[in-house]
Amino acid sequence: MTDAPDGGTAAGPRWRVLAEVAAVFLKLGLIGFGGPAAHMALMRDELVRRRGWVSDQRFLDLMGAVNFIPGPNSTELAIHLGHDRARSRGLIVAGVCFILPAFAIVTALAWAYVRYGTTPAVAGLLYAVKPVVVAIVVWAIAGLLRTAVKDRMTGVAAAAGLAAYLLGVNELAVLAAGGLLVTAVRTRASWLPGRLGRGSGTGLGSGRGRSSRSADAGPGEDDGDQDAPSGDRTRGASARTTGGDRREAGTSHRHTDETTRDSGQKDSGTDENSRHTDGHGGSATANDRDPSGSDRDTGEGREARPSHHDTNATGEDGPDGNGRRTNGNGGGTDANDHDPDGSPPGATGGLPALLAPLAAPYFPDPTGGQLAQLFLTFLKIGAVLYGSGYVLLAFLEGDLVERLGWITNTQLLDAVSIGQVTPGPVFTTATFIGYLVMGLPGAVLATIAIFLPSFVFVGLLTRIIDVIRNRTWSAAFLDGVNATALALMTGVTLHLARDALVDPLTVALAVLALLLQWRTRLNTAWLIGAAAALGAVRALIL
């Protein structure tokens, strides 16, 4: 097997490459404490520094690009790196394996939360892990700095981006401003008034060029150059060189112009045929596409589906009086209830029928509209959400607490806390909430729904990322975004350090982790594992 440091696929048996991708991202998902910045640092250490799958430039390009699509950035980076390694199958394997450890851990914690009414204490474990994670992120930033800051302008964009982030400016606005700033400076030759028209025979630039050539050629040649049209300077110079007079040059120019007009008429005919073909094709495409009709059919189908659980045993619609489940016995249906055909209530076939036995104790009508509503709610969040975990909190509160009333604010805060302190993507908060609302089926559906848009967006992004890098203006924009993204990563690290470095022991752990990364090639997984063990021992002693 050969590595592909510039973004190409790896050579070797397909199953072996996919197995490597699965193993790497399972490990990264298991040790990925600290949020997106830490995840990206771990990926850079594992895939750039240790395995050489991609170069630092490629890694930065992907890191900058995923900041402009909705969803969890570190998960999308993992998905794209998997695509670089093993194409479409690698895209799916990398994303699923990165999410899977967090899904399993959060599901177990959600079960304990429902069973015992509280979450296990993990503060002692994270006491020693956080400073080590900060050191890993700092080392990654140092390694990427030389690649991201290529010149003075990218340095200015990075410094301005860091200042703006610390002042509370929206992250997406900071990234866009950094990209536009670098693009404007690098492409100024094409839009500054004094430079317009250079090489085109018109404008200020061409006028200066003619003056310079006239001064070198002498008075006689200057007159001839002024008589010739600006677009025909080359032909005029050829006529002067062969000794022809201006009338002969003019005749030649007129003949050339007539030939050009004839060619233009032929091109016009070709364009008309092309437009006719395009118009025909466009009409067919317009007639083939009718998303609104499909949506209406789907909506009518859901509205027409009969519900077998309009009321529960107490005569109340849905969950308990607060609109949410409080224990395994409340709000459920009687196990002896059956539909007229003898099937369990709501067993309409397919996936809902398989999930109904698992969900029945936890959520009324798990196979009806509420099942679809849970899925669609998290699908919407995954498709439109930009920003940090605080933005996720706002979305979840608006939909699940205020609009639907499925969980309380206390349960929401507990869910977000679990997502923050467990390894892997923070979006596994959806897993916790899905379990609270609908048990294991809810956890599975909520997780699939919130991450599904990321797979779709990255699949589309893989088709254009190389084109972006190969165009002058878009490459400049990407360089500005990369520098600004590294600045945002630095700002996040400063916040992490403020929370992690709380006493001399945590500072010593961070310094030790930095020294080990500098002097050895020790895998960061060992650093995090040792820190977790130390935190657990300290929690037991104290």
Side-chain angles (χ1 to χ4, degrees):
M1 184 187 304
T2 58
D3 292 332
D6 293 324
T9 55
R14 181 176 297 177
W15 66 268
R16 185 175 298 173
V17 175
L18 289 174
E20 181 190 22
V21 170
V24 167
F25 284 100
L26 277 172
K27 183 181 79 172
L28 290 172
L30 189 60
I31 65 173
F33 291 93
H39 301 162
M40 293 177 181
L42 291 169
M43 291 178 198
R44 192 251 172 191
D45 178 75
E46 185 70 32
L47 305 180
V48 178
R49 179 170 171 252
R50 297 179 59 81
R51 296 178 182 266
W53 283 11
V54 294
S55 64
D56 265 333
Q57 182 61 64
R58 177 69 174 179
F59 187 85
L60 271 173
D61 286 348
L62 299 182
M63 191 174 77
V66 298
N67 277 284
F68 277 96
I69 58 178
N73 295 338
S74 59
T75 304
E76 290 164 343
L77 180 60
I79 294 170
H80 207 138
L81 289 168
H83 177 272
D84 271 16
R85 189 64 174 172
R87 293 305 177 193
S88 57
R89 295 187 181 183
L91 180 150
I92 297 172
V93 169
V96 170
C97 290
F98 184 67
I99 297 166
L100 192 58
F103 168 80
I105 294 171
V106 171
T107 301
L109 293 176
W111 173 84
Y113 184 85
V114 171
R115 182 71 180 271
Y116 302 108
T118 185
T119 56
V122 293
L125 186 71
L126 295 179
Y127 168 81
V129 170
K130 286 182 179 180
V132 172
V133 167
V134 169
I136 293 172
V137 178
V138 169
W139 187 253
I141 292 172
L144 292 171
L145 186 63
R146 186 180 303 175
T147 305
V149 181
K150 299 180 176 181
D151 50 31
R152 180 179 299 176
M153 187 47 55
T154 51
V156 169
L162 177 59
Y165 173 79
L166 295 177
L167 290 173
V169 180
N170 179 268
E171 294 94 336
L172 194 61
V174 173
L175 288 168
L180 291 173
L181 175 64
V182 175
T183 303
V185 172
R186 288 191 184 175
T187 61
R188 64 186 182 277
S190 64
W191 56 267
L192 282 178
R195 295 174 180 264
L196 285 174
R198 173 171 291 179
S200 63
T202 60
L204 298 175
S206 61
R208 287 196 298 270
R210 286 200 304 272
S211 299
S212 176
R213 285 193 298 274
S214 298
D216 293 338
E221 294 179 358
D222 180 55
D223 292 338
D225 190 24
Q226 291 174 358
D227 289 339
S230 60
D232 298 327
R233 288 198 306 273
T234 303
R235 290 192 293 272
S238 176
R240 289 196 300 273
T241 302
T242 57
D245 59 17
R246 285 192 295 272
R247 287 192 302 274
E248 293 173 346
T251 302
S252 175
H253 298 161
R254 286 192 297 274
H255 176 70
T256 302
D257 292 339
E258 291 171 0
T259 304
T260 302
R261 284 195 297 273
D262 292 341
S263 175
Q265 293 173 357
K266 294 178 181 179
D267 292 341
S268 176
T270 304
D271 291 341
E272 291 174 0
N273 293 334
S274 299
R275 285 194 296 271
H276 175 73
T277 303
D278 293 343
H280 177 71
S283 175
T285 303
N287 292 332
D288 291 339
R289 184 172 61 247
D290 188 12
S292 61
S294 175
D295 290 344
R296 286 193 298 269
D297 292 342
T298 303
E300 292 169 0
R302 287 196 301 269
E303 292 173 3
R305 184 184 297 116
S307 173
H308 299 284
H309 301 280
D310 292 336
T311 59
N312 57 20
T314 62
E316 296 175 351
D317 186 10
D320 65 317
N322 294 325
R324 58 189 66 88
R325 174 184 50 79
T326 57
N327 56 54
N329 297 322
T333 58
D334 191 349
N336 296 323
D337 290 342
H338 287 78
D339 286 339
D341 59 356
S343 61
T348 56
L351 181 61
L354 296 176
L355 299 181
L358 294 173
Y362 300 101
F363 196 77
D365 194 15
T367 60
Q370 290 161 325
L371 180 67
Q373 192 172 25
L374 177 75
F375 183 87
L376 292 176
T377 298
F378 281 103
L379 185 69
K380 178 197 71 175
I381 293 173
V384 302
L385 179 61
Y386 284 95
S388 64
Y390 298 107
V391 182
L392 175 63
L393 177 63
F395 270 83
L396 295 175
E397 183 178 20
D399 281 331
L400 302 176
V401 178
E402 297 176 1
R403 184 171 64 87
L404 298 173
W406 285 350
I407 59 174
T408 66
N409 271 314
T410 301
Q411 289 172 324
L412 175 61
L413 292 175
D414 289 339
V416 173
S417 299
I418 289 294
Q420 295 281 351
V421 301
T422 50
V426 178
F427 272 37
T428 49
T429 297
T431 306
F432 191 92
I433 294 174
Y435 193 95
L436 293 184
V437 172
M438 199 185 298
L440 182 60
V444 173
L445 287 176
T447 305
I448 293 174
I450 201 168
F451 286 106
L452 182 60
S454 296
F455 286 87
V456 176
F457 291 142
V458 173
L460 297 174
L461 185 63
T462 58
R463 301 176 182 272
I464 63 172
I465 184 68
D466 292 326
V467 176
I468 293 174
R469 173 49 68 186
N470 292 331
R471 297 290 188 274
T472 302
W473 69 268
S474 56
F477 184 82
L478 190 56
D479 284 341
V481 168
N482 291 344
T484 313
L486 196 64
L488 295 181
M489 193 172 175
T490 304
V492 171
T493 307
L494 292 176
H495 290 311
L496 289 175
R498 183 180 60 190
D499 295 333
L501 307 180
V502 295
D503 56 30
L505 178 58
T506 53
V507 173
L509 286 172
V511 172
L512 179 61
L514 277 174
L515 290 175
L516 287 174
Q517 291 178 92
W518 175 41
R519 303 300 299 174
T520 71
R521 292 182 61 85
L522 189 65
N523 196 310
T524 51
W526 293 108
L527 297 178
I528 293 176
L534 179 61
V537 170
R538 177 183 176 275
L540 291 174
I541 294 175
L542 299 180

